[in-house]
Amino acid sequence: MTVLVGYATAHGSTREIAHRIASRMRTEGVEVDVRALEAVADMNGYDAFVVGSAVHDQKWLPEARSFVRQGIAAPGSRPVWLFSVGMPGALRGPWKRLMYKEVPVIEADLAVPFMPRGHRLFSGVIRPEHLSRRGRLMFRLMGCRYGDHRDWSEIDGWAEQIAGALAHH
């Protein structure tokens, strides 16, 4: 069984998460191919997919949206897991509650024509240079924090769950 861990990244955080997921799955005995979605030419060699994207304005990046809508539009019996990388870890106070409302918005925009086995929203890295001037102002007004908000143990645990599910597939 070969799994594609594919990703679309804006600043590299999603790529690093994809590589971590792939590494963890390999330690669980799964054969994994990790690559940027634009570098995936043929999906026939894969038995399962783990696909992730950076989230901007509650939407996946365009290349990731088109990949899950057209590329694996009819995965058939091949299982698919999705992950989004946003900034819930940067949110504080009352804004923190908004992060739980983001997943349904992302999923509605994706409008994938199949049922994924799971979808996780992970926190990524957010730095001032990632935002426009207006974005930096809003970020500050919301009391958000810059930095690396990735929870590696959460990411590892999710990768292990997928590996376990594939072992029983």
Side-chain angles (χ1 to χ4, degrees):
M1 171 170 286
T2 303
V3 178
L4 171 67
V5 176
Y7 63 87
T9 191
H11 303 289
S13 183
T14 306
R15 178 184 62 244
E16 292 167 2
I17 290 172
H19 279 276
R20 178 68 170 248
I21 290 168
S23 172
R24 202 60 180 195
M25 290 176 72
R26 282 186 194 110
T27 63
E28 298 292 318
V30 178
E31 188 177 323
V32 180
D33 186 13
V34 60
R35 58 182 58 226
L37 292 173
E38 62 264 17
V40 178
D42 181 21
M43 275 153 282
N44 292 326
Y46 301 111
D47 303 297
F49 300 92
V50 179
V51 183
S53 176
V55 174
H56 290 185
D57 297 322
Q58 298 185 312
K59 290 178 170 52
W60 272 25
L61 299 178
E63 64 269 29
R65 277 203 316 271
S66 67
F67 184 87
V68 295
R69 285 180 185 161
Q70 282 104 41
I72 53 174
S77 63
R78 297 185 294 178
V80 180
W81 285 265
L82 305 175
F83 69 96
S84 299
V85 180
M87 58 178 226
L91 300 174
R92 300 172 78 107
W95 301 107
K96 194 99 176 143
R97 286 192 295 274
L98 292 178
M99 73 182 220
Y100 300 107
K101 296 182 175 166
E102 189 170 16
V103 169
V105 174
I106 294 166
E107 290 173 351
D109 178 67
L110 276 178
V112 291
F114 58 86
M115 181 59 75
R117 294 283 184 94
H119 177 206
R120 278 308 236 322
L121 172 61
F122 297 119
S123 290
V125 176
I126 182 91
R127 295 196 171 92
E129 61 269 20
H130 296 166
L131 302 172
S132 66
R133 176 188 277 161
R134 183 174 177 272
R136 286 191 300 274
L137 177 63
M138 290 298 297
F139 197 77
R140 204 165 55 241
L141 288 173
M142 291 171 65
C144 297
R145 300 169 298 161
Y146 292 109
D148 184 343
H149 300 287
R150 293 173 291 189
D151 181 338
W152 294 113
S153 63
E154 179 189 10
I155 292 163
D156 290 346
W158 191 64
E160 289 164 10
Q161 286 175 0
I162 294 170
L166 290 170
H168 299 103
H169 185 67

